[in-house]
């Protein structure tokens, strides 16, 4: 591990000099196998989206399972995928920005099958070009597992590689036919026999958008999600990511019963509603969207301190808060003059929500508390001012000195710990409002939180990664002051064991969920969560476990797994716990 760390740090000496010349970002991480141990020689890809074909960067893991993806865009979230023969495809997101150009991820691969079959019509004739997807529904494994997809050939044959073992579902869709869902249980590679695809039956979803020119309509991307019983279900890409016809309509027939969530997207255009949703049980739902073209919304105003003194040479950035916006270039900037005044033309539509935020500043905006703010006191929303676009917006902004925090993280041998994601948390806040800001340590082990409100009460820094975790003692952040912390990482723990039925027979492909458990009060805390499947021998491994109390449950998410629960147990730093889980079916 130390050899790899020295190699990574040396390779980033050059990257650091390039970063000073060109705005590029870097993602470093580790790939683990089903046993929770590092996997060498695994291909890792960076893409703009999990299903995009364009590859931004690729690498292979070394002997310690480590990889480095360099020279990535620093203005967006990227998808990082790892894949190896005989295993699932793992997927993680990396949030990158000019202020946070480094990210660290851990990817986990699990045992998988290859499923082969043939797609035919009711007369037994092959259907070529059908979209075939294999997945395990309601799968929340540590390190998200990506559904795998392919298309049938001229003979209707397909091969799906990377389908998780145990219960799974194969979904097949071809225009003119009803979507076929075939559930099965498989613990090894096998040929499957799919029932013939039927002609269009089931739900027909009609989508229309008015006001588009024909050449624009074909460029509209429709993001479609299927929801059943409150949970999302992966569908073939031909359904989840489709387009409008030249007349601004789209008709999807032969769909299964579900709630369908539709979000249209086209740069330069805003849709009302932004997202529409059907109801379960509707056989012929129709969703109508209206468009409004972006114009220049003049946003002007004055920036002062809390005493009313103008603040000059401050840089403000305006960004749309449009839901699921894919327009990366939607932000504009302005600099305040000597009198604190600023003006900018933002490309937005009327009534579109936007935010204003200071950048490269020693100040932070003081967002007024309004009844519309979630919880009315959530500290995460105090760093930006939110408004609604109009023909001529004039705003009065107040800024206060920002509290700044720099955190240095090292191993026990004093070597820096790079690419560790840190969370600045508001101590004693409810879990859903606890995290105020995030940052990732750079190659020299340093993370910076440049602009934070100095609020009453205590803060803590928490971080967990492949090589250990950190948790600071509570501290205060004072406005206008720069706080520095040095933290030493503590080794993580490991939980492993076997899942068996009432007769003691090992159970493969079962989802095991492990949540933090208060050993003193005897209650589930719910602010830590892990999930892994059992392998073909019924064995399971939770790796990288933060020291705490825990309990393992089976059947909390999927009843077909059976029902079972372990006794509560404690995981110590660097320790290993063996737990057998018995399941009733």
């Amino acid at each position: 591990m130390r050899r790899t760390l020295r190699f990574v740090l040396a390779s980033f000496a050059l990257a650091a000099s390039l970063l000073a010349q060109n705005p590029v970002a870097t993602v470093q991480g580790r790939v683990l196998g089903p046993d929770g141990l590092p996997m060498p020689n695994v291909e890792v890809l960076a893409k703009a989206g999990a299903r995009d074909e364009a590859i931004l960067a690729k690498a292979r893991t070394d002997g310690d399972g480590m990889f480095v993806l360099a020279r990535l865009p620093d203005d967006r979230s990227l998808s990082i995928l790892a894949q190896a023969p005989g295993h699932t495809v793992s997927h993680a997101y990396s949030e990158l920005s000019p202020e946070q150009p480094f990210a660290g991820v851990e990817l986990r691969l699990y045992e998988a099958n290859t499923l082969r079959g043939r797609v035919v019509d009711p007369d037994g004739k092959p259907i070529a070009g059908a979209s075939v997807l294999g997945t395990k529904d309601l799968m929340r494994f540590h390190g998200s597992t990506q559904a795998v997809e392919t298309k049938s050939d001229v003979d209707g044959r397909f091969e799906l590689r990377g389908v998780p073992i145990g219960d799974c579902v194969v979904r097949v869709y071809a225009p003119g036919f009803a979507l076929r869902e075939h559930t099965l249980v498989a613990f090894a590679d096998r040929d499957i026999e799919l029932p013939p695809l039927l002609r269009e039956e089931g739900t027909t979803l009609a989508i229309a958008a008015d006001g588009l020119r024909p050449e624009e309509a074909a460029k509209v991307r429709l993001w479609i999600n299927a929801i059943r019983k409150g949970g999302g279900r992966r569908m073939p890409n031909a359904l989840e990511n489709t387009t409008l016809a030249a007349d601004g309509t789209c008709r999807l027939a032969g769909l299964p019963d579900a709630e369908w969530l539709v979000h249209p997207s086209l740069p330069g255009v805003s849709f009302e509603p932004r997202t529409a949703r059907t109801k379960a049980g509707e056989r012929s739902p129709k969703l109508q969207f209206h468009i409004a073209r972006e114009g220049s919304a003049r946003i002007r105003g004055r920036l002062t301190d809390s005493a009313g003194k103008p603040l000059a040479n401050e840089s403000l950035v305006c960004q749309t808060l449009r839901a699921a916006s894919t327009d990366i270039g939607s932000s504009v900037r302005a600099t305040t003059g000597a009198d604190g005044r600023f003006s900018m033309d933002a490309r937005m539509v009327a009534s579109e929500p936007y935010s204003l935020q200071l950048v490269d500043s020693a100040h932070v905006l003081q967002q007024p508390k309004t009844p519309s703010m979630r919880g009315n006191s959530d500290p995460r929303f105090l760093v930006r001012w939110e408004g609604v676009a109009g023909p001529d917006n004039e705003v009065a902004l107040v800024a206060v000195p920002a509290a700044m925090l720099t955190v240095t993280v090292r191993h026990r041998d004093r070597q820096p710990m790079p690419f560790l994601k840190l969370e600045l948390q508001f101590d004693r806040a409810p879990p859903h409002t606890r995290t105020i800001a995030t940052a990732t340590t750079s190659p020299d082990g340093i993370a910076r939180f440049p602009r934070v409100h100095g609020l009453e009460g205590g803060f803590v820094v928490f971080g967990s990664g492949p090589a250990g975790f950190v948790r600071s003692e509570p501290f205060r952040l004072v406005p206008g002051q720069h706080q520095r912390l040095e933290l030493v990482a503590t080794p993580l723990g490991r939980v492993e064991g076997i899942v068996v039925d009432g007769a003691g027979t090992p159970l493969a492909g079962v989802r095991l969920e492990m949540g933090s458990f208060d050993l003193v009060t005897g209650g589930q805390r719910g602010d830590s969560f892990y999930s892994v499947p059992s392998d073909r021998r019924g064995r399971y491994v939770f790796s990288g476990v933060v020291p705490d109390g825990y309990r393992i449950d089976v059947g909390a998410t999927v009843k077909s797994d059976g029902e079972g629960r372990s006794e509560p147990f404690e995981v110590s730093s660097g320790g290993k716990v063996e737990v057998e889980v018995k399941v009733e079916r």
Side-chain angles (χ1 to χ4, degrees), residues 21-63:
Q21 305 170 31
N22 302 297
V24 294
T26 303
V27 176
Q28 186 251 359
R30 184 175 69 167
V31 178
L32 304 179
D35 55 3
L37 299 177
M39 278 191 72
N41 198 32
V42 174
E43 185 178 49
V44 184
L45 309 174
K47 297 183 177 183
R51 294 194 171 191
D52 283 11
E53 293 185 3
I55 298 173
L56 301 177
K58 64 170 57 177
R60 282 195 174 272
T61 58
D62 65 9

Side-chain angles (χ1 to χ4, degrees), residues 26-107:
T26 303
V27 176
Q28 186 251 359
R30 184 175 69 167
V31 178
L32 304 179
D35 55 3
L37 299 177
M39 278 191 72
N41 198 32
V42 174
E43 185 178 49
V44 184
L45 309 174
K47 297 183 177 183
R51 294 194 171 191
D52 283 11
E53 293 185 3
I55 298 173
L56 301 177
K58 64 170 57 177
R60 282 195 174 272
T61 58
D62 65 9
D64 294 315
M66 304 293 291
F67 66 88
V68 177
L69 296 166
R71 303 191 65 80
L72 297 169
D74 64 353
D75 60 352
R76 66 197 70 181
S77 172
L78 297 180
S79 290
I80 311 299
L81 299 104
Q83 52 193 21
H87 295 81
T88 57
V89 178
S90 186
H91 172 235
Y93 287 108
S94 288
E95 298 289 342
L96 299 167
S97 69
E99 288 187 337
Q100 302 288 352
F102 305 108
V105 298
E106 183 175 83
L107 300 161

Side-chain angles (χ1 to χ4, degrees), residues 153-412:
D153 64 17
V154 293
D155 296 320
R157 299 190 182 280
F158 66 87
E159 183 175 83
L160 282 172
R161 299 181 181 182
V163 181
I165 67 170
D167 66 286
C168 60
V169 59
V170 175
R171 295 190 171 101
V172 186
Y173 179 74
F177 296 89
L179 184 141
R180 168 70 69 180
E181 296 183 284
H182 180 67
T183 60
L184 67 149
V185 177
F187 301 107
D189 297 351
R190 57 178 285 192
D191 293 327
I192 61 175
E193 185 174 347
L194 292 177
L197 296 193
L198 303 177
R199 299 298 174 183
E200 292 181 355
E201 294 181 357
T203 297
T204 298
L205 174 61
I207 304 167
D210 58 23
L212 289 167
R213 295 186 291 271
E215 64 272 15
E216 290 180 313
K219 298 178 182 179
V220 174
R221 298 184 71 176
L222 298 174
W223 306 96
I224 302 175
N225 295 310
I227 301 172
R228 287 180 181 161
K229 297 180 181 180
R233 300 294 189 273
R234 293 303 305 267
M235 294 289 167
N237 197 42
L239 288 178
E240 291 191 343
N241 181 12
T242 187
T243 59
L244 292 175
D247 62 355
T249 65
C250 177
R251 179 181 178 274
L252 298 173
L255 304 183
D257 184 29
E259 296 178 66
W260 295 91
L261 194 69
V262 180
H263 174 83
S265 175
L266 177 66
V269 169
S270 181
F271 291 87
E272 287 293 338
R274 288 181 172 85
T275 302
R277 185 170 182 167
T278 69
K279 296 180 180 179
E282 289 184 296
R283 298 300 300 268
S284 301
K286 297 180 180 180
L287 299 179
Q288 179 70 50
F289 294 90
H290 307 279
I291 72 163
R293 300 188 182 278
E294 288 183 357
S296 293
R298 176 66 60 84
I299 300 174
R300 57 190 178 90
R302 187 165 181 256
L303 176 66
T304 66
D305 63 16
S306 56
K309 181 181 177 180
L311 294 174
N313 297 318
E314 292 283 351
S315 183
L316 284 161
V317 62
C318 173
Q319 193 163 18
T320 177
L321 299 181
R322 187 183 310 160
S325 175
T326 57
D327 187 2
I328 300 299
S330 59
S331 62
V332 293
R333 292 196 182 198
T335 302
T336 59
D339 57 356
R341 294 195 175 276
F342 64 91
S343 178
M344 64 179 77
D345 291 329
R347 295 198 58 80
M348 293 185 292
V349 299
S351 302
E352 183 174 338
Y354 68 90
S355 71
L356 292 171
Q357 191 168 350
L358 287 168
V359 294
D360 302 324
S361 174
H363 292 79
V364 62
L365 291 182
Q366 184 68 63
Q367 164 81 330
K369 295 180 181 180
T370 67
S372 64
M373 290 180 64
R374 184 168 58 183
N376 207 32
S377 60
D378 191 332
R380 294 177 298 170
F381 296 94
L382 294 176
V383 297
R384 67 187 185 191
W385 191 94
E386 296 183 3
V388 177
D392 191 5
N393 299 93
E394 184 169 4
V395 296
L397 303 179
V398 177
V400 296
M404 293 167 284
L405 174 65
T406 298
V407 183
T408 301
V409 182
R410 301 186 185 278
H411 294 275
R412 288 183 173 180

